[in-house]
Amino acid sequence: MAEYVAPAAVEIVADQAKEYASPYLRYFFRYGEIVEDFKNQRMALKLRKQRVDTHVDEAKRQTEIIYDDVKDWLRNAEQELEETQNLKDEIDRVKCFKWCPKWGWRYSLSKKLAEKIPIISKLLETSDFARVGYRRPLQGIEFITSTDFMDSESSKSAFNQIMEAINAKGVNMIGLHGMPGVGKTTLAKEVGKHAREQKLFDKVVMFTMSQNPNIRTIQDKVAEMFGLNFHTNTEEGRAEELFRSMQRVNKILVIVDDLWEEFKMESIGIPFGDEHEGCKILLTTRRQQVCTKMNCKEIQLGILSKDEAWVLFRDKAGLEDDCSTLNDVAKEVAVQCKGLPLAIVVVAKGLKGESLNGWRDANQRFKDSTHLYDEEVLGGVLEPLKLSYDYLKKGINQMAGNHIQMCFLLCSLFPEDEEIDIEVLITCGIGVGLFPNVYSIEEKRKKFVEALKKLQKSGLLLESGYAGTIRMHDVIRDFAHWLTSTGENRFMVKDTLKEWPHMDESYTAIALWNCSSIIKIFPDKVEFSKLKTLFLEGEGKWNRDDFLVVFGTVFEEMKALQVLLLKRVSFSLKGFPSLPNLKTLWCFSCMLKNLPSLTNMRSLEILALIGTKIDGINEELLKLSTLKYLRLSGVVQNVPLPPQPNLVSRHIISEYFYYSRTDEGINFPPGLVSRLTSLQELHVIPKNNLNLLELKSLSRLTALSLTLSTYQIPREDFVLPKLQRYAIVVGEKYSSNREAFIRRLDIQDFSSSLSAFNNLFCNVEELNLRNVGGQKNIVPSIDEMGLNELTSLQLESCDDMEFLIDTKNDQGSSTVAFSNLVELNIKPLLSNLTELRLHSLPKLKRIWEVKPSHRAIASLQSLKVVSIEYCDNLKTIFSPCLALSMLHLEELYIRYCDRLEQVIGFGQEDEIIENDCLLYCWPKLEVLRIKDCESLKYISSNTLIQSLESVYIYNCHQLIQIYNMEQSIVLPELGSQESLTNLTVLELRSLPELKYMWNGPNHYLHRVEITKCDKLTYLFSEITARTLVHLQFLEIWNCYSLEHLIGEAENMDEIDISNTKDQSPLFLPNLKGVRIAKCENLKYLCSSQALPYLESIEIEDCPRLIQIFNMEKNKDGFGLQNHCWKKLKTLRIEDCQLLKYVFANTLSQGFPLLESLCLKNCPQLLQVFSSTEGRDVIGDHILLNVPFLQDLVVINCPQFSCFIVQAQLIKELVLSNVGNSGQLCNTDVPVFNEGCIVVGNHEELFQVQGGYSFSSINILRLRNLFEVRVLWNDFAQVVTLENLTTLTLSNCKKLRYIFSPMMASSLSHLEDLFIERCEEIERLILAKDQVSSSSSNGDTSLQPMSFPNLTQIVVTNCKNLNSLFPFRFAPVLPKLESLIVKRNYKLEQVFELEEKVEVVAKEEMKFDKLKWLSLVELPGLIHFSPKGYHSVFPAMIKLKVKDCPRLTIGFFIDSQEFVHCKTKMVEQDAVEESTTVQNAIFNENIDWSRWWR
């Protein structure tokens, strides 16, 4: 019974004590509530951290840079979760004995929990990050890949002239002109690359104009470089946005390539000249007159000299540098290239590998083609290009050569600078009859790929930045157009067509791009009896409903037409004509109001409808008896088409074409597909109703792209046919518009047998399984032959998966057969796999379950990327023999594998092989990321991993050592080897058992971040530290046992370092940034003080830190000399209780670039540095000359010695409790030739000399400076604070005033004014009659004082203050929003007249923006404003007046709800007379709010 009574009694006592209990009793009686609150808060924090972790991981995958405050929050959250885990365990572990609680334990635990709750709550409040990272600034791919620059005399001269012009004042546009193919673009890229590497500009951007520039595409590219997202759609609006964005960047280099005519850069949005003097424009053009018209600094790029041309030619042709006959002939050929780099490269590549006779033949061809010299457009480049074009037939039969040449000519039909889609090009080539002797489309595709490779090797085509595309140089395109201007194949290509061009019947190919929809004379019928190819594109506008309207009759007289490509075209209702020879029809983003009659297209082989609006798929398709290729992507029905996505260029890539999100899919009539018996390729990208059983009738099918639901997979015994290319997506939720460019299977939410895909597993290249049940392994369950073509494997939430490979438990006859196959040297299983991703496989025990006899097939030799997450049953990932086979592994990611102990480990005794106790594996591994693996102890044991560049290990609480190497590995011819020698980035977080990392050398380490590694006493051994010659950034957080960065020699094993390469006499010679926080036992960083490149030092909360550098143990002799920190920009030291000096033996001139100095809460700190140089000490003061200092903050450093700072660019100055526990700084401050700041507890803060103005100061905060009497003394000097925005004065007890009238009149940007506990201050602004009349330069003709931007005023506890602001007859505070005046006992008037003038008429004083007014405990206050003034507050929402007994004013509200203030006598008369008064407030204490009336 007692066990029930006691809790009730406790509850009664708790309720009764609630009213009277102190906070301490709450720990007894509210224990249950505190525990519940704690648990809820902790769980919320845990979930929130997981969410932030997810966002951070996603941001990192997008190569974003994580914000520092997000990093700090994650560290703090992780720390709280770890610290509170013990409390949570204690709650679960300890319980009451029957009815009697353990009161002492309950009180103690409750108190701990209650203290943690607000900390966790604060973390939750500050976790709402709009973004966790930001995009890395784009550098411009042109400059990253610019490697073709040849350092010739002409290019060197032009380069130097360009750089000179870039650095010259008054030159904002530079024009580089020269012949086509001379190398203008290459040189421009080299300039951009050099400017970026040398950091001459903040941004370098390059784009191509071409003859018909696409302004929107150019704007998109420039905006991407500046991180701008447009909010307007018009070109003009986007130009203005870009203009303003670029104006905010100080120095910009814009490279405009291939400009053909005078152009206004403002139409793109590029500011220059008077609009942006820091923006320089470099343009390239073939035409010198363009440079002249645009007022450029003109620079000409000449051709190569004869010797230079030969060197380039010889290199590209692969010739030896000798005196052979072949070289003699080759030199003659090189001369014919006229010194043009493009011609040299093309011809040399075309002739590479030719015999002597071949070279002689080429030379003779040159000599026989002198008629080409007269061409004006292409000049000397035409002849060598013609030679290269002719040589396409060399070594192959005439027909094949002709087809390669036609393939080249087809490329010239696409727009200039286009990324040409290879698939579109191939199907168009098939349409015009190329490679007719090859039947299947797949075999034709292979022929085309070979042809394109030959064209690339010949220099006639270029690689593209996009997979599946190629490019054509504009000069080569011009050459192709020259070739097709006459002869059998006549082409016409036009861009940005505004009217129908004049043409005749002889053209065989026509391409009209970007045709305006306003063309009025577009003909109804055109006769082109020879036309075989027609490309027609409507204008690319933002409004996609504006199609180019074409009547079907246009095509009636094009009977020979074989290829028709239409983009943004709408057909009229007149129908589609008969085109009996048409073989290829592509429709991109078109509108076919009635599906064209296909009756008279009996030769059609290829039909592709991409993003095209049609009425539906019907039986008309059956009339295409020869149809071999059908592609349907984004075909929509009666749905308006959305805006076309912004692409880098206008290239026609089917993958990028949208389809409507309202698309309900494609509905095939039943049995339709099965009757298309000639079909070889079927690509249906959106969802559909296709019955897969119909595919059985398509015996010729070789390629298939489909998106299927799980219900479309037949339940009966069905197997997809063998295919050469496929991209099949199964799953309702898994959206994809991928097409069959590689062999890909995506299967999701599938629990049935995978037998339907059996014919595809043998050659699948990419396999993705998500939430697929019933499979215990991949091999042999899915494919016993080993999936040898697989390059990428992703598994997620496959709960039944135990092994990827299981060759250990073979049974029955299959084991014998499989073993025989192994003995016959079958290709190792999964040997082509390049990517492996495993996610949420809770039963997975091992990657590969292997028998010793099968060790020969245990090979992952091609694997490059491994990602493993949430595989809770894994203890080791790779066996030694498997790890040894992974010769190409580059990236390894492991997360949330709770039982994982080692990444490489011996799972079974029978896996141990001879000499495998020492492993040299993963020779190409570069990135290792491991996170949240609670049981992990080692990455690997006795394993040499040399290639690692980046290591990230988080939250592995059992990890003892990063790298466990018990003995050295000796490799033949290489000798003894060390591990981790190539590491560049190291991040370790929350590894509480980690005691040390490694002792070997490292020559490349660039950045180190260590967090919460409590048992680390030092980071690097001495031998390691001496080799860290490239370490630049070091960040350490929450390492409790850390005493110093570098281990002392006596604490380490003796190591022979005599043969160590790159051994530096200094420690960390290239270190740039150091950030250390919350390392309780840190005593010093290291012994060496010679860090010539150090830019930033930030140290926080290191209570035992004695000195930054231990000079007593300095072994390099640096303690005997003074130092200069020539690169140091930031110095921040906080909460270091024992620190006395930041730097020892440092010259005062030793901080030439210092920009920020912050010292906080260092009670023993005496000085920033100690110096023995007499010239640094003037009297009792140390002079610190810091010409670039912008931020100076010294807070709570009571022992700090006074010093003098000369800083002309200071923007923020904060001094609080500086030098107050010692004697007052010597009052005899020396006089200097320029202004200076006295840092310390001195009577005068600023010393003003020579008319120097402290105009750069934005923020000024002075607190607890008990001896300061004046900020500056000599008012005769011109002292302005024109940029001051915030002024805070607190507890400066002897300060008498702040500003002189002259100074106050300059405070045009002041926004916030805070003054408290300044007991001696009488006036904020000194009266004019108080300014010393002895000032020789005094000026009494002052402008009226005004504070146009002041928004907030707080003045409290200033005992002697008698008025706030003097003013004349103009409004002084037009933007004031908040005025708080409290406990200023002598204050009589808030606002007073600057001059004693009697106010006869009633004057109105209006405060349009004032919202909050508080007058509290002002016993002397009589008036708010001068007598006779009427104050109006239209925006007032909060008014508080309390304990102001002498106040003679009253407040009332009028009918407009404006608050008014007048003297009480005048106010009462007004109330009686005015009919507009709604409410009068005369109470002694007022607390009024507009919200609560």
Side-chain angles (χ1 to χ4, degrees), residues 734-748:
Y734 194 96
S735 62
S736 174
N737 64 343
R738 295 172 173 176
E739 300 188 27
F741 295 114
I742 67 169
R743 294 183 289 274
R744 178 187 296 110
L745 276 178
D746 293 302
I747 305 175
Q748 172 184 296

Side-chain angles (χ1 to χ4, degrees), residues 140-148 189 193:
I141 190 67
E142 300 93 346
F143 313 126
I144 298 174
T145 59
S146 176
T147 57
D148 296 330
K189 287 182 180 180
K193 182 179 179 182

Side-chain angles (χ1 to χ4, degrees), residues 304-546:
L304 302 180
S305 68
K306 183 178 179 180
D307 291 339
E308 292 169 341
W310 168 242
V311 170
L312 177 61
F313 190 95
R314 186 187 64 205
D315 178 61
K316 296 301 180 182
L319 301 174
E320 297 294 333
D321 186 14
D322 54 32
C323 299
S324 64
T325 304
L326 190 149
N327 273 13
D328 292 338
V329 178
K331 286 179 181 179
E332 293 185 26
V333 175
V335 170
Q336 300 298 326
C337 294
K338 309 301 180 185
L340 291 170
L342 178 64
I344 291 171
V345 171
V346 170
V347 172
K349 285 185 175 181
L351 295 174
K352 187 175 183 178
E354 282 291 332
S355 64
L356 177 60
N357 289 333
W359 281 95
R360 285 173 172 166
D361 180 57
N363 191 26
Q364 189 60 44
R365 283 172 177 263
F366 264 122
K367 294 177 180 179
D368 293 342
S369 57
T370 55
H371 63 281
L372 298 179
Y373 293 153
D374 297 330
E375 296 296 331
E376 295 181 359
V377 177
L378 296 173
V381 77
L382 192 59
E383 181 186 352
L385 290 179
K386 181 65 165 61
L387 176 70
S388 187
Y389 174 77
D390 291 339
Y391 260 73
L392 291 174
K393 299 179 182 180
K394 185 73 173 178
I396 56 178
N397 63 62
Q398 181 75 17
M399 179 176 292
N402 290 337
H403 292 163
I404 295 175
Q405 288 179 337
M406 178 55 70
C407 184
F408 166 75
L409 297 178
L410 283 176
C411 292
S412 72
L413 289 173
F414 292 87
E416 187 176 4
D417 299 313
E418 179 87 353
E419 306 284 347
I420 303 171
D421 187 330
I422 294 177
E423 185 71 3
V424 175
L425 181 65
I426 289 173
T427 52
C428 290
I430 293 173
V432 297
L434 299 187
F435 305 111
N437 295 330
V438 180
Y439 172 74
S440 73
I441 293 177
E442 184 62 29
E443 292 303 315
K444 287 179 185 287
R445 183 179 283 109
K446 293 177 182 178
K447 291 289 185 181
F448 273 99
V449 171
E450 291 176 5
L452 293 176
K453 287 182 178 179
K454 186 175 181 66
L455 289 168
Q456 284 181 301
K457 289 181 179 180
S458 299
L460 294 173
L461 289 181
L462 304 174
E463 290 185 0
S464 168
Y466 298 91
T469 65
I470 44 91
R471 289 190 306 115
M472 178 176 271
H473 192 283
D474 58 344
V475 174
I476 302 226
R477 182 172 178 266
D478 291 341
F479 162 70
H481 289 171
W482 173 82
L483 284 176
T484 56
S485 62
T486 58
E488 181 181 354
N489 293 311
R490 285 198 65 196
F491 288 8
M492 183 181 71
V493 184
K494 298 287 184 182
D495 201 345
T496 316
L497 196 65
K498 299 297 183 184
E499 60 182 16
W500 189 250
H502 174 72
M503 297 180 290
D504 56 44
E505 299 182 18
S506 61
Y507 289 106
T508 59
I510 295 176
L512 305 177
W513 300 104
N514 203 18
C515 300
S516 174
S517 59
I518 63 173
I519 292 179
K520 300 299 183 184
I521 58 171
F522 204 100
D524 291 342
K525 186 180 296 185
V526 183
E527 294 186 6
F528 288 110
S529 58
K530 296 182 180 180
L531 189 65
K532 296 181 179 180
T533 303
L534 175 62
F535 293 174
L536 189 60
E537 179 194 49
E539 191 171 11
K541 288 187 175 181
W542 185 257
N543 182 3
R544 288 301 314 283
D545 292 332
D546 193 9

Side-chain angles (χ1 to χ4, degrees), residues 1141 1166-1167 1169-1171 1173-1184 1199-1205 1223-1232 1238-1242:
Y1141 295 100
L1166 299 177
Q1167 190 50 270
F1169 57 85
S1170 62
S1171 177
E1173 293 288 319
R1175 60 177 178 170
D1176 297 335
V1177 181
I1178 303 177
D1180 295 332
H1181 303 82
I1182 296 177
L1183 173 64
L1184 186 62
Q1199 302 291 338
F1200 201 67
S1201 300
C1202 181
F1203 69 94
I1204 299 170
V1205 173
Q1223 288 81 23
L1224 175 68
C1225 289
N1226 192 324
T1227 56
D1228 297 326
V1229 176
V1231 176
F1232 300 98
V1238 181
V1239 180
N1241 193 17
H1242 195 273

